[in-house]
Amino acid sequence: MTTILEMSSRQNLYPTISANDYADSESKTCGKILVVLSWILVIVTMPFSLFICFKVVQEYERAVIFRLGRLLSGGAKGPGIFFILPCIDSYARVDLRTRTYDVPPQEVLTKDSVTVSVDAVVYYRVHNATISIANVENAHHSTRLLAQTTLRNTMGTRPLHEILSERETISGNMQISLDEATEAWGIKVERVEIKDVRLPVQLQRAMAAEAEAAREARAKVIAAEGEQKASRALREASEVIGDSPAALQLRYLQTLNTISAEKNSTIVFPLPIDLLTYFLKAKEES
């Protein structure tokens, strides 16, 4: 029984393989016939066929050629002149210049449950023309959609203070993530920049009030430290003046000089306090 099953399986396998080989050989034969007919058409319609067969691509472009629906060996053609056969060859132009995509504002819920609106700019280019045509239907549209989702996913995993203070780090992480994802599409992401982070109006007011309160607190602390230093300086000055009675008179004269320089019409005459004390004691004794 086992021998019969093996023989039947072999009989079923061989016809399948031979049919596939026959189909491949038949398609190759038809392709060769069409290529020969195309060359005959080019020769018969010479020189008018030259206007159709010769194409030119710019320095920043490449041409991906398909012959009977299959990629032509040799990779993308260009820059300059290249040759195609009429009726059986088709080609697609691919621009290799850097493109700029302005990511529209995305409403993102941050890690600390704050809703913000973030927009960015993505700079990318095609580095492999053949892959960008053969592996994805529209490489540019796919890259733009991926940039939007990557921006939302990246911002959603970070708190608000990191989004506001670490934009360069976030941009670098986004650029690496996009570059790895678009490598299979023949796209190279060169740079990602976060343009603006828009906060809700109520949150802006709350943050402004918090910043104002923090500034007022710092101002009070600085004023208190200044008063403390000034009191210490006055205490040291009083000790110096107490050791030298003539220093007080010199201070009076210095103050008089300062006032007379600012207001010339005002004359200030310092009266020694000891003189008043003498008169007060004399009055009490009498």
Side-chain angles (χ1 to χ4, degrees), residues 22 49 284:
Y22 178 75
S49 61
E284 290 176 356

Side-chain angles (χ1 to χ4, degrees), residues 219-233:
K220 291 181 180 179
V221 171
I222 293 172
E225 292 178 353
E227 291 291 338
Q228 184 180 7
K229 293 179 180 179
S231 61
R232 290 177 181 176

Side-chain angles (χ1 to χ4, degrees), residues 6-42:
E6 291 179 356
M7 291 177 63
S8 61
S9 61
R10 291 177 182 177
Q11 289 176 358
N12 293 330
L13 181 61
Y14 289 147
T16 304
I17 296 175
S18 61
N20 293 333
D21 293 341
Y22 178 75
D24 292 339
S25 62
E26 186 177 9
S27 62
K28 291 180 181 179
T29 304
C30 293
K32 292 179 180 179
I33 293 173
L34 291 174
V35 170
V36 172
L37 293 176
S38 180
W39 276 108
I40 293 173
L41 180 62
V42 170

Side-chain angles (χ1 to χ4, degrees), residues 146-192:
L146 183 62
Q148 296 181 16
T149 56
T150 303
L151 178 62
R152 288 195 296 267
N153 296 335
T154 303
M155 293 301 176
T157 58
R158 293 179 178 269
L160 180 61
H161 65 89
E162 290 187 5
I163 295 176
L164 297 176
S165 61
E166 299 181 3
R167 293 190 180 185
E168 294 183 359
T169 304
I170 297 174
S171 300
N173 294 336
M174 286 183 58
Q175 188 266 332
I176 295 173
S177 178
L178 284 173
D179 195 20
E180 292 177 353
T182 57
E183 180 69 23
W185 302 340
I187 299 293
K188 172 66 177 177
V189 179
E190 296 179 342
R191 191 178 182 89
V192 177

Side-chain angles (χ1 to χ4, degrees), residues 15-244:
T16 304
I17 296 175
S18 61
N20 293 333
D21 293 341
Y22 178 75
D24 292 339
S25 62
E26 186 177 9
S27 62
K28 291 180 181 179
T29 304
C30 293
K32 292 179 180 179
I33 293 173
L34 291 174
V35 170
V36 172
L37 293 176
S38 180
W39 276 108
I40 293 173
L41 180 62
V42 170
I43 295 172
V44 170
T45 58
M46 195 78 73
F48 300 102
S49 61
L50 298 179
F51 295 99
I52 301 176
C53 295
F54 286 101
K55 303 293 181 180
V56 179
V57 292
Q58 304 296 330
E59 179 70 27
Y60 52 84
E61 293 178 334
R62 297 294 182 271
V64 180
I65 303 175
F66 294 89
R67 177 164 295 174
L68 297 174
R70 295 186 177 182
L71 278 172
L72 195 64
S73 61
K77 306 297 181 182
I81 300 175
F82 63 95
F83 182 84
I84 63 172
L85 292 175
C87 303
I88 64 172
D89 285 353
S90 61
Y91 71 97
R93 292 176 182 265
V94 180
D95 196 333
L96 301 183
R97 291 177 292 184
T98 300
R99 295 196 177 193
T100 304
Y101 175 55
D102 191 0
V103 181
Q106 304 292 316
E107 295 290 337
V108 181
L109 184 64
T110 61
K111 189 176 181 180
D112 49 357
S113 300
V114 178
T115 302
V116 295
S117 178
V118 186
D119 54 355
V121 182
V122 179
Y123 301 89
Y124 68 95
R125 61 180 176 84
V126 178
H127 74 92
N128 192 322
T130 303
I131 294 178
S132 66
I133 294 296
N135 288 10
V136 62
E137 180 181 1
N138 191 332
H140 300 289
H141 184 63
S142 301
T143 302
R144 292 170 182 176
L145 292 179
L146 183 62
Q148 296 181 16
T149 56
T150 303
L151 178 62
R152 288 195 296 267
N153 296 335
T154 303
M155 293 301 176
T157 58
R158 293 179 178 269
L160 180 61
H161 65 89
E162 290 187 5
I163 295 176
L164 297 176
S165 61
E166 299 181 3
R167 293 190 180 185
E168 294 183 359
T169 304
I170 297 174
S171 300
N173 294 336
M174 286 183 58
Q175 188 266 332
I176 295 173
S177 178
L178 284 173
D179 195 20
E180 292 177 353
T182 57
E183 180 69 23
W185 302 340
I187 299 293
K188 172 66 177 177
V189 179
E190 296 179 342
R191 191 178 182 89
V192 177
E193 290 291 341
I194 298 176
K195 291 174 57 178
D196 190 15
V197 179
R198 298 183 181 89
L199 304 177
V201 178
Q202 295 180 354
L203 182 59
Q204 292 180 9
R205 292 175 181 174
M207 294 178 66
E210 181 182 0
E212 184 178 0
R215 286 194 296 269
E216 291 179 356
R218 286 196 299 269
K220 291 181 180 179
V221 171
I222 293 172
E225 292 178 353
E227 291 291 338
Q228 184 180 7
K229 293 179 180 179
S231 61
R232 290 177 181 176
L234 288 174
R235 185 185 63 181
E236 295 176 357
S238 63
E239 293 177 356
V240 173
I241 292 174
D243 295 338
S244 178

